């Protein structure tokens, strides 16, 4: 993969002008804000001296509470207290079925593609909830730094797809933040460790947070990071450890899993998390559980038992690490340094297994909670133009391939995963019918070959292609991904110059509704896909019926049908063909197929009689009875 170094024109500022820029780690579990002061990057505490802001928002009748207070309120007010919304951001209502199993909140009816959670303050989207967290961090930074922020760098998991990145930017827009760039979290960690000053070679970044696991393989070469591969699991983290302990407690205490007793479950999860964190320092954790009936249960969990509970999860992270190394084309012996990121890398078993796999002690010098925010702050400082001598920017890779649909429901990849961004790639296509005046362009994301297995990002049409024979038009489809990983697709028929495009791009100053409509527009295509497929199936069926009828009529229509009967069948046949050619509505085609079948019913019966007669000729009846 090519090394990429760019300097952004117009970013440099006069030396005396210091712009206030911060990095924000918008985490599933905890969020942080950091900045560079006196050439040192540091996270900013709140008034109580807390650096971590729990990513929890409690909605009230007259406002919202964010952070620790909200986290504490979760037990009493679970339905209005939203946590881990990062797992939901940029997801459609349909996607939610995959993650919503144990979500305690009430979701509003599905007339919206973006999930809406019912709270006492009305329905809210994960975008709005994330915006509340960002607002608090913004305010903290502005109060601490004494001025208005000029821009921010927000980190996202390497696994985030276009919709999730877009939704994160929308949240920033709602929080009135100017986003310089979204940055992959592992990349930020590498910047934080300043590994560009160190020995050259391969670096692995192992990030195990509350809700996600990311592994990135980087190569440091001549002071520049080359991203060789990223991988991981967007639904694996410390939350799973909590879940495993909670399950253990239920089993040990003989408590029926009261999944719909939200208050009890929230309390249980908190207890599980506290026990887990205790086990990082101690060999045992004592557990004191108040059961739903008011009685209590005491137990003790040892480090060894805990290790057994989480062994499979940790093993999965090692397997994903092995895969990422393979993707990167490097052997684990080639890895010079391993960086640990995320609160869950404090778990002793995790450190042990990672050290064992890579055959070296991982870096843990920088607080694993803060390392991502610190890297983001360093990057924000450069982008704000506060370091005019250092305009070299570390760039990221595309986490999932981007392509378009071609004939037969296949995906043609135009930009493959792990390509460094920004990037622009074009490919030429043509028409397959004479005189075709429009083509449909369906933009997809994913590694699978079939459209059905990929994520539908957008769909648009290029119209007004001048009539030409099939194969003559030259249609250039161009994909451009900017530094945030956001996509713009355009199509142009080059001989006539007609063009069309879609943008999956940030736009500032949008209203809440507009943002949602945009997201809805980018997600609803999944439904369109299904409708298109159903229509295609009906068309294929219609062709099959017409072809079979034509063949039959050519063979024996004159023998079996009088002129009037023949005309009736042909009228029904021609009507069906017309509907198919016009790509009529699916139900109309279905009805026309039925109609044709009805019109030819007695003809089909006569043909069957005839063929039975022919088959029986020369045979005795009892021969058939034996069959
Ligand atoms: P995210 O990036 O998903 O927001 P973090 O990096 O903040 O997550 O990590 C949060 C996770 O780390 C939580 O599951 C939390 O319980 C876990 N964690 C924090 N401190 C400890 C500890 N001392 N021992 C074990 N796990 C911890
Ligand atoms: Mg994290």
């Amino acid at each position: 993969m090519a090394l990429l170094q760019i300097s952004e024109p117009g970013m440099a500022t006069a030396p005396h002008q210091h712009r206030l820029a911060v990095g924000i780690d918008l985490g599933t579990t905890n969020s942080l804000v950091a900045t560079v002061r006196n050439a040192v990057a540091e996270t900013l505490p709140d008034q109580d001296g807390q650096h971590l802001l729990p990513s929890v928002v409690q909605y009230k009748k007259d406002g919202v509470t964010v952070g620790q207070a909200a986290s504490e309120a979760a037990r009493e007010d679970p339905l209005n207290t939203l946590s881990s919304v990062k797992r939901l951001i940029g997801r459609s209502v349909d996607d939610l079925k995959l993650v919503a199993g144990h979500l305690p909140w009430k979701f509003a009816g599905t007339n919206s593609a973006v999930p809406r959670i019912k709270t006492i303050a009305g329905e809210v989207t994960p975008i709005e909830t994330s915006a509340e967290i960002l607002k608090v961090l913004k305010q903290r930074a502005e109060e601490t730094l004494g001025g208005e922020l000029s821009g921010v760098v927000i980190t996202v998991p390497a696994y985030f797809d276009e919709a999730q990145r877009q939704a994160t930017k929308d949240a920033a827009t709602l929080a009135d933040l100017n986003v310089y760039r979204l940055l992959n979290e592992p990349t930020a960690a590498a910047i934080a460790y300043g590994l560009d000053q160190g020995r050259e070679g391969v670096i692995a970044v192992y990030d195990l947070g509350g809700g996600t696991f990311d592994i990135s393989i980087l190569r440091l070469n001549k002071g520049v990071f080359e991203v060789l591969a990223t991988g991981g699991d967007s639904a694996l983290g410390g939350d799973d450890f909590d879940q495993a302990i909670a399950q253990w407690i239920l089993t040990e205490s003989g408590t029926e899993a009261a999944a719909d007793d939200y208050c009890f479950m929230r309390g249980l999860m908190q207890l599980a998390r506290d026990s887990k964190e205790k086990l990082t320092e101690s060999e045992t954790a004592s557990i004191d559980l108040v059961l739903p009936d008011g009685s209590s249960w005491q137990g003790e969990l040892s480090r060894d038992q805990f290790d057994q509970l989480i062994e499979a999860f940790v093993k999965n992270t090692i397997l994903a690490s092995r895969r990422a190394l393979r993707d990167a084309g490097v052997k684990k012996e080639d890895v010079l340094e391993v960086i640990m990121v995320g609160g869950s890398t404090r778990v002793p078993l995790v450190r042990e297994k990672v050290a064992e796999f890579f055959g070296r002690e991982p870096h843990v010098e920088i607080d694993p909670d803060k390392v991502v925010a610190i890297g983001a702050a360093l990057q924000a400082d450069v982008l704000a133009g506060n370091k005019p001598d250092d305009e070299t920017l570390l760039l990221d890779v595309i986490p999932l391939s981007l392509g378009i649909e071609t004939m037969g429901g296949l995906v043609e990849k135009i930009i493959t995963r792990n390509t460094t961004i920004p990037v622009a790639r074009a490919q030429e296509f043509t028409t397959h019918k004479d005189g075709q005046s429009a083509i449909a362009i369906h933009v997809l994301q994913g590694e699978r070959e079939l459209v059905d297995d990929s994520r539908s990002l957008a769909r648009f049409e290029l119209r007004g292609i001048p009539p030409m024979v099939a194969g003559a038009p030259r249609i250039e489809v161009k994909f451009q991904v900017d530094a945030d990983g956001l996509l713009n697709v355009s199509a142009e028929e080059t001989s006539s110059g007609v063009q069309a495009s879609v943008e999956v791009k940030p736009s500032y100053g949008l209203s809440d509704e507009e943002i949602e409509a945009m997201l809805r527009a980018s997600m609803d295509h999944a439904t369109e896909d299904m409708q298109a497929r159903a229509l295609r199936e009906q068309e294929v069926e219609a062709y099959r019926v017409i072809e079979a009828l034509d063949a039959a009529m050519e063979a024996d229509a004159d023998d079996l049908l009088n002129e009037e009967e023949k005309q009736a069948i042909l009228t029904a046949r021609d009507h069906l063909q017309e509907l198919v050619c016009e790509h009529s509505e699916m139900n109309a085609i279905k009805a026309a197929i039925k109609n044709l079948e009805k019109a030819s019913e007695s003809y089909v019966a006569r043909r069957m009689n005839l063929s039975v007669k022919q088959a029986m000729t020369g045979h005795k009846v009892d021969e058939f009875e034996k069959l």
Side-chain angles (χ1 to χ4, degrees):
M1 192 178 306
L3 299 178
L4 209 49
Q5 267 184 302
I6 60 162
S7 48
E8 303 209 341
M11 281 296 190
T13 44
H16 62 274
Q17 225 184 319
H18 183 91
R19 289 190 184 151
L20 296 182
V22 298
I24 292 179
D25 174 3
L26 183 61
T28 314
T29 322
N30 297 302
S31 298
L32 291 112
V33 59
T35 195
V36 176
R37 280 195 289 189
N38 308 321
V40 177
E42 55 191 6
T43 54
L44 304 176
D46 65 8
Q47 283 167 348
D48 300 331
Q50 298 298 320
H51 292 252
L52 291 176
L53 176 73
S55 304
V56 184
V57 177
Q58 183 194 14
Y59 286 89
K60 296 178 179 166
K61 259 201 202 107
D62 53 353
V64 294
T65 309
V66 180
Q68 192 53 38
S71 186
E72 279 157 19
R75 218 182 276 231
E76 286 78 49
D77 189 18
L79 293 183
N80 297 306
T81 309
L82 311 187
S83 56
S84 296
V85 292
K86 191 174 179 179
R87 280 196 190 259
L88 309 184
I89 200 165
R91 304 270 189 171
S92 68
V93 168
D94 286 343
D95 291 339
L96 275 194
K97 297 192 183 100
L98 306 172
V99 286
H102 48 266
L103 297 176
W105 313 304
K106 293 212 165 82
F107 286 89
T110 52
N111 57 346
S112 156
V114 176
R116 296 187 150 276
I117 301 162
K118 285 186 181 169
T119 72
I120 195 166
E123 295 174 6
V124 299
T125 65
I127 295 173
E128 291 163 301
T129 307
S130 299
E132 296 298 342
I133 297 166
L134 291 172
K135 279 182 207 166
V136 170
L137 294 174
K138 176 181 192 244
Q139 195 185 353
R140 184 193 292 185
E142 291 186 337
E143 276 169 12
T144 313
L145 302 175
E148 206 175 307
L149 295 184
S150 99
V152 300
V153 167
I154 300 178
T155 58
V156 291
Y159 256 87
F160 261 24
D161 64 21
E162 297 283 330
Q164 290 164 306
R165 282 167 199 266
Q166 181 63 58
T168 303
K169 274 211 147 182
D170 291 340
T173 304
L174 287 180
D176 200 21
L177 285 168
N178 171 35
V179 181
Y180 287 142
R181 170 168 302 176
L182 300 180
L183 184 66
N184 282 348
E185 288 158 11
T187 309
I191 299 175
Y193 270 98
L195 292 179
D196 46 338
Q197 319 295 325
R199 234 174 358 140
E200 304 208 322
V202 177
I203 296 152
V205 182
Y206 178 104
D207 178 351
L208 190 61
T212 53
F213 170 60
D214 286 307
I215 176 84
S216 300
I217 311 298
L218 315 174
R219 193 204 305 275
L220 178 59
N221 189 11
K222 298 191 180 68
V224 180
F225 292 107
E226 182 185 1
V227 185
L228 298 178
T230 64
D233 187 336
S234 55
L236 175 64
D239 293 350
D240 296 301
F241 299 177
D242 301 347
Q243 203 87 36
I245 294 179
Q247 197 50 57
W248 180 87
I249 295 174
L250 287 177
T251 310
E252 290 293 307
S253 65
T255 309
E256 286 289 307
D260 56 345
D261 187 346
Y262 303 127
C263 295
F264 173 70
M265 291 308 278
R266 288 290 280 257
L268 178 66
M269 293 307 291
Q270 188 60 49
L271 189 60
R273 181 189 286 202
D274 293 345
S275 310
K276 172 188 74 176
E277 294 181 4
K278 177 100 195 296
L279 285 169
T280 291
E281 306 299 331
S282 324
E283 288 296 325
T284 59
S286 49
I287 295 165
D288 209 332
L289 176 72
V290 179
L291 297 167
D293 64 8
S295 67
S296 67
W297 175 84
Q298 276 93 28
E300 194 173 76
L301 180 63
S302 73
R303 166 101 49 87
D304 284 348
Q305 283 169 307
F306 172 58
D307 287 353
Q308 278 171 28
L309 292 176
I310 63 165
E311 198 177 347
F313 297 120
V314 180
K315 196 166 169 194
N316 281 342
T317 68
I318 299 297
L319 290 176
S321 303
R322 194 190 296 279
R323 270 197 302 277
L325 283 174
R326 203 172 49 219
D327 276 358
V330 297
K331 292 196 277 297
K332 63 182 182 184
E333 294 74 35
D334 301 336
V335 176
L336 271 189
E337 323 226 37
V338 181
I339 302 175
M340 294 294 246
V341 180
S344 298
T345 59
R346 290 207 179 86
V347 172
L349 184 74
V350 172
R351 290 192 176 179
E352 188 187 310
K353 292 292 176 196
V354 171
E356 187 183 298
F357 173 70
F358 286 102
R360 60 187 32 71
E361 281 306 314
H363 277 287
V364 293
E365 307 92 275
I366 303 180
D367 187 333
D369 292 326
K370 297 180 179 168
V371 58
V372 166
I374 285 173
L378 290 168
Q379 178 84 118
D381 198 44
V382 173
L383 288 169
N386 294 334
K387 299 184 77 181
D389 302 338
D390 184 5
E391 288 184 48
T392 302
L393 302 176
L394 169 64
L395 298 172
D396 278 327
V397 294
I398 295 202
L400 296 165
S401 300
L402 296 163
I404 66 168
E405 175 172 354
T406 59
M407 294 292 287
L410 295 171
V411 181
E412 174 79 16
K413 297 201 177 93
I414 295 189
I415 299 178
T416 53
R417 69 187 280 258
N418 282 336
T419 303
T420 36
I421 52 175
V423 61
R425 295 267 158 83
Q427 197 153 321
E428 259 189 12
F429 294 87
T430 189
T431 53
H432 74 280
K433 274 201 202 128
D434 287 345
Q436 190 174 338
S437 67
I439 64 161
I441 292 168
H442 185 190
V443 184
L444 299 148
Q445 182 168 40
E447 302 316 306
R448 309 281 293 272
E449 296 304 322
L450 292 178
V451 169
D452 288 355
D453 300 326
S454 307
R455 184 178 188 113
S456 174
L457 290 179
R459 193 192 274 280
F460 67 105
E461 281 187 356
L462 177 65
R463 297 186 161 279
I465 301 171
M468 283 183 249
V469 293
R474 296 180 160 280
I475 295 148
E476 189 187 67
V477 177
K478 192 169 178 190
F479 276 52
Q480 281 175 286
V481 180
D482 70 14
D484 297 318
L486 296 171
L487 173 69
N488 176 294
V489 181
S490 60
E492 181 179 356
E493 199 290 301
T494 46
S495 69
S496 61
V498 288
Q499 48 182 302
S501 67
V502 279
E503 307 201 348
V504 191
K505 271 197 147 177
S507 320
Y508 293 100
L510 285 179
S511 75
D512 210 352
E513 282 78 5
E514 283 168 322
I515 288 173
E516 194 193 323
M518 256 166 61
L519 289 171
R520 196 186 299 151
S522 75
M523 288 174 182
D524 272 354
H525 299 293
T527 327
E528 269 174 38
D529 260 4
M530 275 166 55
Q531 285 165 349
R533 171 165 288 262
L535 172 62
R536 213 161 60 218
E537 281 167 4
Q538 283 304 318
E539 289 177 353
V540 169
E541 173 65 6
Y543 277 123
R544 198 190 59 74
V545 171
I546 290 172
E547 268 167 32
L549 180 76
D550 287 354
M553 290 190 61
E554 202 179 308
D556 54 26
D558 292 340
D559 302 334
L560 297 175
L561 298 170
N562 65 33
E563 200 51 38
E564 196 183 328
E565 289 167 331
K566 211 156 114 181
Q567 275 319 315
I569 293 174
L570 285 178
T571 306
R573 175 207 174 280
D574 292 347
H575 175 62
L576 174 61
Q577 184 161 46
E578 209 176 289
L579 289 182
V580 173
C581 292
E582 288 169 4
H583 296 289
S584 292
E585 208 242 319
M586 184 187 85
N587 286 329
I589 295 176
K590 212 169 174 171
I593 293 175
K594 271 237 164 71
N595 184 39
L596 177 57
E597 279 169 355
K598 200 157 185 324
S600 48
E601 217 165 52
S602 67
Y603 171 47
V604 171
R606 278 177 228 169
R607 296 196 79 224
M608 274 167 69
N609 282 340
L610 183 67
S611 60
V612 169
K613 263 189 215 147
Q614 282 166 349
M616 284 172 69
T617 309
H619 296 274
K620 294 198 186 95
V621 173
D622 60 340
E623 280 180 45
F624 290 92
E625 280 170 357
K626 277 183 219 143
L627 290 177

